[in-house]
Each structure stands twice: as structure tokens, then as C-alpha cells.
Amino acid sequence: MRERLHGAPWIGIVGAVLVVVGAGLLATGVLPSDAAIEIGERTWPVLLFVVAATIVAELAAVAGVFHAIAERLGTIGAGRAWVVWLLVVALATVATIMLSLDTTAVLLTPVVVLLARHLRLDPLPFALTTVWLANTGSLLLPVSNLTNLLAEHRLDLGPGAFAALMAPAAIVGIAVPVVAVALVHRRSLAVRFERQTVEAEPDRVLTIGAGVVVALLVPALVSGIEVWIPASVAAALLLVLVAVRRRSAVRWSLVPWQIVLLAVGLFLVVETLHARGLAAALAPVVGTGDGLGDLLRLAGSGALLANGVDNLPAYLALEPLATDPQRMAALLVGVNAGALVTPWASLAILLWHDRLAAMGVTLAWGRYMLLSVVVAPVTVVLAVLALWFAHVA
């Protein structure tokens, strides 16, 4: 099954409209040219990383890296559903932290759902695990989420310092959804299954080669080098490898132009709003201090705004009010871990649900939202408490 990180055409349409609107705002002077230049200089490395990382994830999926890992998880699951599920939790957590939330929600979900079906297990706990961890687990490293990359650039932190700042919240962001899935699906995770043999990869050279490239990329992303550099090198290596072993998979559609258009359009439009006083209007709502109350207000505002309009514009709108590392961490908790409830809270959720529908897995939006409306607030509040306690301890 071939999945894509950026397969919804409406994303490109919305992005193109926003780019045209942004260009009009710039041309008419509503968006000052110096503000447009500043946002361009700040975001081009971020967007280049997004393009390179997307190509890496797409080609790793083509090469069968995720499928090979998941199949081996099934063989070491000791015949117990909960063991396989915990191994999937670990895989989803690592994929989210190191390769971004979209990789987990869009590319890993079909793999683990197929694994569950192969083992004759209920696929829903596996599907919920991937979409929740994709969002709530994307707090630890800059590369985990586009919002994190923007925050790291604004704070001028390296990956190590960023991880140290976000670690308390990141632990909570992983633990709460895992506990929630374990409670909601405790019966289906208590069953046993017959062990299955691992199928041989169709192209072992391609799978192993791609796996080596991804394995080498992971430490490079936290080495302190500008992340777009190792990601671009890894993308180039995989393009060459796949072109040699499976030329038909190398296409222009690997480039996530829809997501890039959407991001550029949002940058221009929200920057215009900031130039016209958006931050000043929002300041009374989100507070200005770094006490527990103000941190909860900022994180809660980020979560509400993300569920209302999507997490990227929510972050961009509130970013100027995250005036120190603690406030920035709280904002990221809100717009990442809190962006769970509505289908449009993050693009990954919409794309994830499309994948499930295409695979015949039924999860009504009403049930999903009912579960998420409990998980999201609990995660946000506990994560902010963890941040605050670590700061004052």
C-alpha cells in the first residue's frame, strides 16, 4: 500500500489562495516589506528541512523500512497483543520524535494497522496510538514538529537545550495518551495471537540501504548542525538509492509543494496580522508572566485556537507573546499536545483519518472527538504542571 504525507489536493488549493492573498497584502503595503523579508529569512531553512524530511520519510516507506520494523515487532510480541502494542508505542514515539508527527500519523499508521490485521488483532488501539502520539509526542526535539522548528529558531536554542527545556512536558505527552489507549482498549489488548513468520523484503538491498541512511540521519539531526543540512544529504542519498533500485518511485510528487504553499501563505497572512496589532489584542487573554496560572492560560489559549483554526496559525498568532523559554514551552504544549480534538486541529489528523477510511477501518469523528476531548486537556494541564514544577524545583 502506497501512502503519502501530502496526499490531499485541497491543502494545495488553500495554500495557493493564501499565497495569492499574502502577495496582495505585500504588494499593497498592508504587509510591510521589511516584515516579509524578515519572515522569509527566518523560515526558509525550516521549509527546506520540511521538504527534505518529507522526501526521506516517503522514500523510507517506499523502501519498506517501516514495514520491515513493524513485522519484526509482531514476531517478538510473545503472542500477546499488549506486548505488540507497547512495541508499536515505542516505534511511534521514536518516529515522531526523530522524523516528525506526519511520518507517524500518515506513514506509520497504515503499517501498524496492517500488522494488527495480520495478527488478527483489533486495529483501533493501534490507530489511536499513532494519531495521539504523533501530536502529543512531538514535543521533545525541534525536528518533531514544524512549530518546534520555528520556536527553536526564535529562542536560538540548539537541539540539546531545546530537549532539556521540553523534556518534562514531552514525558507527560507520551504517558497520558498511552494510559488512555490502555484503559479504553484494555479488553482487545488482553488477547493472545499465534506468532507469524516474517515475510522477506521484496528488495533487501533497498530496505537495508534506506534503513542505514535513516539510522545515520537520526543522530545528525541532534548534533547541533542546521537540521536542513543532514536532512538534505539524506534525501539526496535516498533519491539516488531508490532511483537505482526502483526508478518508478522517484517522482516530482515526492516534494510536498502543497504543505509548503500552505505554510508560506499562513506565514504571510499571520505576519500581516501581527504588523496590524494582533499580539497586542491577544495579550490580555493569554497573560504575560511565567507563573503557573499564566502558563496554563497561554497553553490553554494555544490549544483552543489550534482546535479552532489549526495548530500552525495558532502558534504563529501567539508566538510574539511567548517572550521567554518557559512561555514558549507552554505554547508548544498547547498547540502540539492540545491539537487533538477537532479534525482540522492538525493536518496530520485529517490525513490519518483519510488513510483509515481508505483501509476500511471505521472510527467515527464523533467517537474520536469524544475520546480526544478528554485526553487533550488532561495532557495539556499535566504537561504544563510538569514544566512549571521543573522550573521552580
Side-chain angles (χ1 to χ4, degrees):
M1 178 174 290
R2 182 73 175 95
E3 306 297 339
R4 303 202 69 79
L5 283 175
H6 43 93
W10 60 265
I11 297 174
I13 295 172
V14 173
V17 170
L18 288 174
V19 168
V20 171
V21 170
L25 293 170
L26 179 60
T28 57
V30 178
L31 172 60
S33 58
D34 57 345
I37 292 172
E38 181 182 353
I39 194 70
E41 291 176 344
R42 180 184 167 207
T43 57
W44 76 258
V46 172
L47 293 178
L48 183 54
F49 168 79
V50 169
V51 171
T54 300
I55 292 173
V56 168
E58 291 274 11
L59 293 179
V62 166
V65 173
F66 302 131
H67 189 272
I69 295 173
E71 277 221 327
R72 279 155 181 77
L73 297 185
T75 65
I76 61 177
R80 297 179 181 272
W82 68 268
V83 176
V84 175
W85 172 70
L86 285 177
L87 292 170
V88 167
V89 166
L91 177 59
T93 300
V94 172
T96 300
I97 291 172
M98 296 298 183
L99 297 175
S100 89
L101 78 164
D102 295 316
T103 300
T104 298
V106 182
L107 296 181
L108 187 60
T109 294
V111 172
V112 299
V113 166
L114 288 174
L115 171 66
R117 283 178 165 172
H118 183 58
L119 300 176
R120 295 183 174 83
L121 302 175
D122 181 2
L124 285 182
F126 296 86
L128 266 181
T129 297
T130 54
V131 73
W132 279 348
L133 284 180
N135 289 277
T136 65
S138 65
L139 290 171
L140 186 63
L141 292 179
V143 297
S144 308
N145 201 314
L146 176 55
T147 55
N148 296 5
L149 286 166
L150 294 168
E152 181 204 26
H153 191 276
R154 186 175 183 87
L155 293 173
D156 194 24
L157 295 175
F162 186 92
L165 172 67
M166 298 302 302
I171 293 170
V172 173
I174 295 166
V176 173
V178 168
V179 171
V181 173
L183 290 174
V184 172
H185 291 280
R186 57 189 180 277
R187 291 183 180 176
S188 59
L189 292 175
V191 303
R192 302 176 71 94
F193 63 88
E194 293 184 7
R195 298 189 184 192
Q196 307 290 324
T197 58
V198 177
E199 297 180 6
E201 293 85 6
D203 189 336
R204 187 175 177 81
V205 172
L206 179 60
T207 303
I208 294 176
V212 170
V213 172
V214 173
L216 292 175
L217 174 62
V218 168
L221 291 176
V222 296
S223 65
I225 304 171
E226 289 281 343
V227 291
W228 66 268
I229 298 174
S232 298
V233 171
L237 291 173
L238 285 177
L239 282 168
V240 172
L241 177 62
V242 175
V244 171
R245 305 295 300 187
R246 195 177 301 171
R247 186 175 179 79
S248 62
V250 178
R251 302 173 181 175
W252 285 109
S253 58
L254 289 171
V255 178
W257 61 267
Q258 303 102 317
I259 294 174
V260 171
L261 277 179
L262 182 65
V264 170
L266 286 170
F267 290 148
L268 293 173
V269 171
V270 177
E271 189 65 23
T272 302
L273 295 174
H274 282 313
R276 299 298 164 182
L278 177 63
L282 293 175
V285 178
V286 302
T288 57
D290 58 2
L292 179 58
D294 280 333
L295 294 180
L296 286 170
R297 285 169 64 186
L298 179 54
S301 298
L304 288 173
L305 196 55
N307 283 289
V309 298
D310 185 73
N311 68 328
L312 181 56
Y315 170 82
L316 293 172
L318 295 172
E319 183 192 61
L321 300 170
T323 50
D324 60 51
Q326 281 297 111
R327 288 183 60 80
M328 182 64 79
L331 174 58
L332 291 175
V333 166
V335 299
N336 291 359
L340 285 185
V341 181
T342 59
W344 54 84
S346 79
L347 291 176
I349 296 174
L350 286 169
L351 296 174
W352 165 83
H353 197 270
D354 285 346
R355 299 299 180 263
L356 291 187
M359 298 177 73
V361 178
T362 302
L363 178 58
W365 279 122
R367 175 168 171 75
Y368 169 80
M369 294 173 69
L370 185 63
L371 293 170
S372 296
V373 81
V374 176
V375 172
V378 172
T379 305
V380 169
V381 171
L382 291 181
V384 172
L385 282 170
L387 284 172
W388 175 80
F389 183 77
H391 181 63
V392 301

